[in-house]
Amino acid sequence: MLIKSTNLRQARFMDFYQVMSLVLSFLSVEDKVALNLATEAGEFETVFGMLDKALKQAQKTGITDALIAADDTRDSIFSGFTGCLRGSTRFPDAEISGAASALLLITDKYGSDIIRLPQREETAVLKNIITELKTDGNMALLQKTGLGLWLTKLEEANTAFDNLYVNRNEKESEYVNGLTRTERDNMQNAFDKLVRAIEANAYLKGEAAYK
């Protein structure tokens, strides 16, 4: 396969935007008709234009880079925390691996795609997870794994995002956040479709022209 993975749903928003922008720049210098990619590339360009417009609209209406960055920060911390927990389940000490497994049962019961929830819903879910993990029994488990600082940082990041969010016009925030999330999902789908077309043509015609 030319591209091993196209799933960028957990990437930070601005990182995702930059990758899509780079893909568009690569497409702009290729003969898309000769490559049999005109339809998929055209759709990709159209959807990217909508994503770009959504981002600019967000910045114009008060949803600043600070809010996007705060969301990215808490997403990164939560992903890092759960990743460390998963790694600790393989630790060669039964007490530590058992503690990590017990804590994962708590985070996993809230779903596998928490950072892709609507932002206010994500805030509430993270608050519930933090509250549950801060009980005496679970804090003892965290101490065994040595991952307690992750929880502290997650709570700080979630609170920081919530404070930024509620200090803005609620109606405006819901409109723009919903817009950027919708356009991001559409962009991901267009990217997936483009890559499938590239792989299909490369299989039929050879990979050389598609590298």
Side-chain angles (χ1 to χ4, degrees):
M1 295 175 65
L2 297 174
I3 298 176
K4 292 183 178 180
S5 176
T6 62
N7 187 357
L8 300 175
R9 296 185 188 280
Q10 295 192 23
R12 296 182 180 186
F13 181 86
M14 291 309 298
D15 291 340
F16 176 81
Y17 178 87
Q18 288 298 327
V19 171
M20 295 300 101
S21 180
L22 283 172
V23 172
L24 185 64
S25 69
F26 291 142
L27 287 172
S28 68
V29 298
E30 298 292 342
D31 186 341
K32 294 174 281 292
V33 174
L35 293 172
N36 196 31
L37 297 173
T39 299
E40 292 79 11
E43 180 180 336
F44 184 92
E45 183 175 359
T46 298
V47 176
F48 180 82
M50 296 170 69
L51 179 71
D52 185 58
K53 182 179 178 180
L55 177 60
K56 289 182 169 121
Q57 181 66 21
Q59 293 168 335
K60 285 180 182 177
T61 53
I63 305 302
T64 63
D65 290 342
L67 189 63
I68 294 173
D71 189 28
D72 285 344
T73 295
R74 67 173 181 176
D75 289 351
S76 179
I77 292 172
F78 182 72
S79 295
F81 175 46
T82 55
C84 286
L85 282 177
R86 293 189 195 286
S88 295
T89 63
R90 297 189 294 273
F91 194 79
D93 180 295
E95 192 171 2
I96 293 175
S97 62
S101 295
L103 293 169
L104 266 180
L105 289 175
I106 295 171
T107 59
D108 285 354
K109 76 180 180 181
Y110 288 92
S112 61
D113 213 14
I114 292 170
I115 65 175
R116 295 303 305 151
L117 292 171
Q119 289 173 325
R120 293 294 280 170
E121 187 177 345
E122 180 184 346
T123 299
V125 169
L126 290 178
K127 282 182 178 179
N128 288 338
I129 290 174
I130 291 164
T131 298
E132 193 165 352
L133 291 177
K134 286 179 73 175
T135 62
D136 290 342
N138 290 329
M139 286 299 291
L141 294 176
L142 272 172
Q143 187 174 8
K144 287 179 181 178
T145 64
L147 300 176
L149 187 57
W150 279 100
L151 182 61
T152 300
K153 294 300 182 181
L154 178 62
E155 184 172 24
E156 289 175 357
N158 198 45
T159 300
F161 174 85
D162 197 34
N163 289 340
L164 272 175
Y165 192 102
V166 298
N167 285 335
R168 300 182 184 278
N169 182 282
E170 188 76 11
K171 201 169 189 183
E172 177 186 81
S173 297
E174 288 179 358
Y175 166 72
V176 176
N177 288 328
L179 178 64
T180 54
R181 292 237 173 174
T182 297
E183 299 307 339
R184 175 171 176 158
D185 286 342
N186 290 342
M187 187 80 263
Q188 177 69 59
N189 292 335
F191 182 47
D192 290 340
K193 186 175 179 181
L194 174 67
V195 172
R196 286 195 299 270
I198 291 172
E199 291 181 337
N201 280 285
Y203 178 77
L204 293 172
K205 302 178 180 180
E207 294 186 1
Y210 296 89
K211 287 185 177 180

